[in-house]
Every structure is written in structure tokens, then in C-alpha cells.
Amino acid sequence: MALAFDEYGRPFIIIKEQEQKSRLRGLDAQKANISAGQAVARILRTSLGPKGMDKMLQSPDGDVIITNDGATILEQMDVDNQIAKLMVELSRSQDYEIGDGTTGVVVLAGSLLEQAEKLLERGIHPIRVAEGYEMASRLAVEHLERISHKFEFSATDIEPLVQTCMTTLSSKITDDLPAAILSVNRCKRELAEIAVKAVIAVADLERKDVNLELIKVEGKVGGKLEDTELIYGIVVDKDMSHPQMPKRIEDAKIAILTCPFEPPKPKTKHKIDIDSVEKFQTLRQQEQKYFDDMVQKCKDVGATLVICQWGFDDEANHLLMHRNLPAVRWVGGVELELIAIATGGRIVPRFQELTPEKLGKAGLVREKSFGTTKDRMLYIEHCANSRAVTIFIRGVPVARLICCARPECAGRPEVVWVSGSALSCGWCCARENRNMPFLRALVQSANSIMNLGYVDLFVDLAWLFLPTFTTSIESVSYANLYIYASDLKEIPFIGNKMMIEETKRSLHDALCVARNLIRNNSIVYGGGSAEISCSIAVENAADKFPGVEQYAIRSFAEALDAIPMALAENSGLPPIDTLTAVKSQQVKETNPHFGVDCNDVGTNDMKEQNVFETLIGKQQQILLATQVVKMILKIDDVITPSEY
């Protein structure tokens, strides 16, 4: 505590409890900040690219999230360090602005910090480093403009958009396993087409504007990926208020209400004394008259379906059913707005304001149930205005095990029977001397599978984890199961809630990419090719700068190489050898399309592989990462409270 005295001799405190605070200054503060930023970047580095690993995060209340989306990982992490929080904000900014590239921007920022630390140790002032990074980022952004290509598309020719969305989905859960094993390419393309069609449906191509709020993404556990559909209308997770109401209404006229089906309540305190049967009967008749009037007003304007934001009691529900007026209650405000946009109706706050002009129109309203559960959802389709759509997810590409169905294998202990099509087991393979590759699966008891949520499969000792939702294996505790890898194409897919949530996040990225391409249809090629090309261009331009900044510019070029190196490392390739080979190939052939062959296709040309990324997304990555690193480098004094 520092004590001082004013001109009258009265004591006062300048800084209270200063001895209880810790302080870092100068190079120590900068190194501590850089170390914190690098720690966050290292967490996400292994999640980059199509072969990136997933992270499992458990919330305090026990909810589990498995994802490799950078923004989601950092959002769910409990980060205390203020510099680490800056990295979280960096990923969030990329997600809000672009919607994709949230992992890459943090990895790039971590690499820039790593290079900056080397420069600081050589005695270069952090401001000069920051200025050099700013110059280099401008060079990189200009170079990206030069190597970019325009992608021409229209409402009828959406193939370019589909190809770019497939690149985005390739790093998500829909392509975690090799396409040769689980035939996931089909799934990836279907999801990409759904995302593009949804964006085109709500896009204003003349103004190059897309309102993603008009696209609703819903999901239900069960089904298979082929059941995922794009509905030109709205899906509401509600059912009819009475089980005897009709489940299918054609040419529906919809009254969209935010007023409840109940008698009006005075806003002041009130008390009603009922001391006779006649008075109670009068009150009941008055309430019934209110309900009658409300239902009659809806009938008079021609409504054939009522969608209400609030609930109503059994009496109103019974009256609606008898008057043959189907109703849906407890519909959320956001869903009401989407229904109003889709059907061309108006949200009505009072029954007195209900008119035929305010009714929404839909060609078909139907209630659909799922599986053996009581889950029901309401489909509002063929709407007057199709500028509101719903993507309905019904499963994810996760294998369900199917065993050999040959009669001679029925009694063998290592063969487990699971309902499905006929496949050959390992015993049949050995007997018939087949050379085809097959999988061996270790299947635990049904209880273990339901608790852990996993069945472990491995091919040639390489473990592939496949979350599963259910199994029909009841009686065995352990069993060995052999099936052909080539036959796995026939295996149906099932999903669980955790995986559906991850698919929603993947589709969000694809929707954002399609929106960005409509805003600006310039693309660059992926697989690290754009970063390698920028690295070469920035390195060559460094010699033109006479000051100390040229060291920072060269370090920036070296930091850009972190993205292709991480891609190669995550794909099981030697990172340094792969990077140097691709870099020399780009220099020799002056072709900026060469990148890291993560999927082992056999060519490094990303143009041949159809691996694209949006130009504005890549530029935003470089600019945002540079700005955050500059901010971190300019901090030279950190005062933190003591830990008790």
C-alpha cells in the first residue's frame, strides 16, 4: 500500500494492496503472452484439415460434445488467461464474419506468435515486428487476389457452389473415414447439394445478398443420412393440440396468433365472490362464450389451421376439435416469424384484428411421426413464399455392424448375428482363400455400447472410432466379427443426438461458404496451396524493404507454411518433406494450385481434386490473425491479481 499526504497533511492511499498483485514487464510479459496464445493454437492444430482429429468436451452438467470445429472447441473451453481469450475471440470473429476457417485462423496466429518470439529474442523491437507483419499481410492479400479465380454459377448451374461446399464438409464429421471404406463421398455430396439449394432458395441474386436466418436447421435422432431432406417450407417440432384433429390439411389457411385462447385477465388486482350455484353457472357460461367467440372469429375469416404462440386449456382444445378447427400451441416466436414469412401471413396480436388478408397460405400441412417413438413434427410445405426453407437432418454416416448370414456359419462362436444383409465373415474368407481386405470388430455387450456410445473397428491395426446409437447384440459379452471392407458400402447408417449436433455445425459452415460465394464468387485452391503460394510471394518481396521490417516479413512467410505442414502432419505424411516437395513444385512450374494431397488421391494439383476455398474467407483469416498478433505484441506490462 502506498501512502501519501495532501497539502493539509491528510493521508490518502495511491494504490491499494499493490504488493498482492503480480507484474510482468518488457520481454517477459511478451513471452508469457506469446506462450498463452501458442497453447491455444496447439490445441486446434491437430484438428486442421480433412484428416484432423476430433476433440471431446464435457460440460459441467455432463453434456458431451465431439467436434473438430475450431469455434465450437474454443467456445466450450473454460479459458482463464486473457491472451488465450483473445484467441477465442479471434476464432469467434472468423465464425461470425465468414463461418468457415475458424481452426486455420487460430493455427496461423499461433505460428505468427512463434516466429515473433524468435525475432524478439534477436533484439528486434515488437513495434517493428508488428509493422513488418502488417506489410506482409497486405502483400499476401494482394497475392491472393492475383491467384484467385472467378466461379461462374447461376440458379440453374449450382455445380461450382456444390464443389466448394464439399471441400468445407470434407474436414467435418461426414468425411472422418476413408471413402473407400464407408462410401461417404455420396453423403458429402448430398449434404453439399442440400446446403447450396437452401442458400439459393433464400438468396437475392441481384443484390448478392443471403439472409441465413431464413434457413432453419432441424434434426431428429434415428433414420439414415439418405433421409436428410430440404423442405421448401417450415418444420416445427410440435404436433396437433388434440390427438383427434386431422393430421393432413391441404390448401391450408393459417391464422398465426400471439394471443392466448383464454378469457381476458384484468391487469389490476381483483377478487370474485361466488356464493351461489347460479353465479358459478353464469361465470362458466361467460367463459365459454369467450371461447366460442374466439373460435368463431377464426372460423369467420376462413382459417383452417390455428398456430398459437401460447397454450390453451382443455376446454378450448375440446371446442376447437368439435368445431373442426385444427390447432398447434406453444410455438416459439422465431418459428412464428419464419412461418409468417413462408406463408405470407401476418402475426396477429388480438382476435379483433384477425382478417382474411392476414391469413398465411400453405399447399400442405401434415403431421409426421418417427419410428416407434411418440416424436411428431409438423411440416408446412408448398408455401406462398418459398423464401424460408428447412434442412431436416435424420442421421449421420456411422456404421452399424452386420454379420455373415451364411447357414454354415450360424453355429460358430466368433460369428455374431445382427439383422441386415448377407456378408461374408472372416472364417469364410479364410476357408475360400480370399485376399480381399476385411475388418475385425471387437463388439462389447449391449449395455457397454449404450453406456460408452462406441464400437471399435480397426483396419490393419489403424483404429477408427465409430460412434453408434444402438445395437441388436444382446447375449454376448465379447465376440470377434469379420466383414469385408468392400461390403461395408451396403451397411445402413444410424446416428445419435451428439452426432446430429455435429452435422448441424458442419452444415452451418457449408451454408456460410455458399453465402460467401454468392457475395463474392472468387475462389482460391485449398490443401495449403494458397498459403504456400503466398509464402513464396512474400519471401520474394521481403528483399525490397530496406529496414528491419524485412526480417518480420520473412518470418511471416515462414509462419504461412504452418498451415500446409499441419495438414501434412494430420494426414500421416512427413510434414517437412511434403512441404518442401510441394513448394519446389510450385516454384518450378509457377503453378499456385499445388498443395498437400491429404486424401492420398495421387496428385498434388488441387484444381484436379476440386478442392476450393472462398477468397474472402482466406483473406479474412490472414487479416484477422495479423491484427490479433499485433495487439498481443504491443502489450509490454501485465498486472494480475494474486491467487488466493
Side-chain angles (χ1 to χ4, degrees), residues 52-56 66 172-178 181-182 184 396-401 439-442 444 452-459 461-469 494 496 498-499:
M53 305 297 284
D54 291 346
K55 302 285 185 281
M56 179 185 284
I66 297 179
K172 306 301 176 187
I173 200 71
T174 52
D175 200 30
D176 270 358
L177 300 173
I181 297 177
L182 284 181
V184 183
V396 289
V398 182
R400 187 178 73 191
L401 300 180
L439 303 181
R440 173 181 176 271
L442 181 64
Q444 291 187 355
L452 297 175
Y454 284 92
V455 173
D456 300 336
L457 292 179
F458 58 90
V459 186
L461 302 180
W463 287 87
L464 305 171
F465 291 94
L466 297 176
T468 187
F469 176 67
I494 59 175
N496 61 16
M498 183 170 56
M499 306 299 288

Side-chain angles (χ1 to χ4, degrees), residues 216-220 235 237 335 377 390-393 504:
K216 186 184 178 190
V217 182
E218 277 283 348
K220 267 293 184 201
V235 175
D237 194 5
E335 291 172 326
M377 297 188 85
T390 304
I391 299 173
F392 189 48
I393 302 167
K504 283 185 183 179

Side-chain angles (χ1 to χ4, degrees), residues 306-328:
V306 174
I307 295 180
C308 186
Q309 186 175 14
W310 303 101
F312 36 83
D313 60 18
D314 291 341
E315 188 173 352
N317 200 13
H318 177 77
L319 192 61
L320 285 164
M321 194 269 292
H322 270 280
R323 292 288 187 88
N324 196 25
L325 184 60
V328 184

Side-chain angles (χ1 to χ4, degrees), residues 343-582:
T343 60
R346 298 283 294 276
I347 296 174
V348 180
R350 285 182 291 274
F351 283 98
Q352 292 80 1
E353 298 179 16
L354 193 59
T355 61
E357 294 77 28
K358 294 181 179 178
L359 297 179
K361 294 177 177 61
L364 177 64
V365 177
R366 60 191 173 95
E367 184 182 291
K368 187 175 179 182
S369 58
F370 301 98
T372 57
T373 64
K374 294 181 180 179
D375 285 341
R376 296 182 182 89
M377 297 188 85
L378 201 68
Y379 284 56
I380 303 172
E381 300 175 279
H382 311 311
C383 300
N385 174 20
S386 62
R387 286 179 63 82
V389 298
T390 304
I391 299 173
F392 189 48
I393 302 167
R394 281 309 324 276
V396 289
V398 182
R400 187 178 73 191
L401 300 180
I402 300 176
C403 189
C404 183
R406 297 190 177 190
E408 58 268 31
C409 295
R412 298 190 62 83
E414 72 269 20
V415 176
V416 179
W417 280 85
V418 183
S419 60
S421 58
L423 299 178
S424 296
C425 67
W427 183 71
C428 295
C429 297
R431 188 186 59 191
E432 298 176 12
N433 295 319
R434 299 190 185 184
N435 295 320
M436 294 179 68
F438 55 86
L439 303 181
R440 173 181 176 271
L442 181 64
V443 183
Q444 291 187 355
S445 66
N447 288 336
S448 300
I449 291 172
M450 294 305 288
N451 290 336
L452 297 175
Y454 284 92
V455 173
D456 300 336
L457 292 179
F458 58 90
V459 186
D460 296 333
L461 302 180
W463 287 87
L464 305 171
F465 291 94
L466 297 176
T468 187
F469 176 67
T470 187
T471 179
S472 59
I473 301 170
E474 300 284 353
S475 57
V476 292
S477 57
Y478 288 94
N480 292 327
L481 171 64
Y482 292 87
I483 50 179
Y484 284 124
S486 59
D487 287 335
L488 274 172
K489 295 174 186 176
E490 306 301 323
I491 294 182
F493 297 139
I494 59 175
N496 61 16
K497 187 176 180 180
M498 183 170 56
M499 306 299 288
I500 285 176
E501 291 302 317
E502 175 65 359
T503 308
K504 283 185 183 179
R505 288 188 284 269
S506 305
L507 269 175
H508 170 262
D509 286 4
L511 292 169
C512 290
V513 165
R515 177 199 63 183
N516 295 337
L517 275 175
I518 288 174
R519 289 179 175 175
N520 181 352
N521 64 339
S522 296
I523 57 104
V524 292
Y525 290 93
S529 61
E531 285 86 355
I532 293 171
S533 182
C534 286
S535 173
I536 295 167
V538 171
E539 181 81 35
N540 294 337
D543 295 331
K544 298 176 184 176
F545 294 88
V548 181
E549 287 83 1
Q550 66 172 274
Y551 289 101
I553 294 172
R554 285 198 184 91
S555 294
F556 190 96
E558 195 170 337
L560 285 171
D561 292 339
I563 300 289
M565 281 187 73
L567 286 173
E569 192 175 332
N570 293 344
S571 302
L573 304 171
I576 297 174
D577 294 350
T578 304
L579 175 65
T580 50
V582 173

Side-chain angles (χ1 to χ4, degrees), residues 139-173:
L139 290 170
V141 167
E142 289 168 6
H143 182 71
L144 284 172
E145 287 276 3
R146 288 195 294 273
I147 66 172
S148 66
H149 291 266
K150 291 285 184 186
F151 242 30
E152 299 302 328
F153 64 90
S154 64
T156 54
D157 179 24
I158 60 171
E159 185 59 27
L161 291 174
V162 172
Q163 292 289 345
T164 313
C165 287
M166 284 173 66
T167 303
T168 303
L169 289 170
S170 67
S171 64
K172 306 301 176 187
I173 200 71

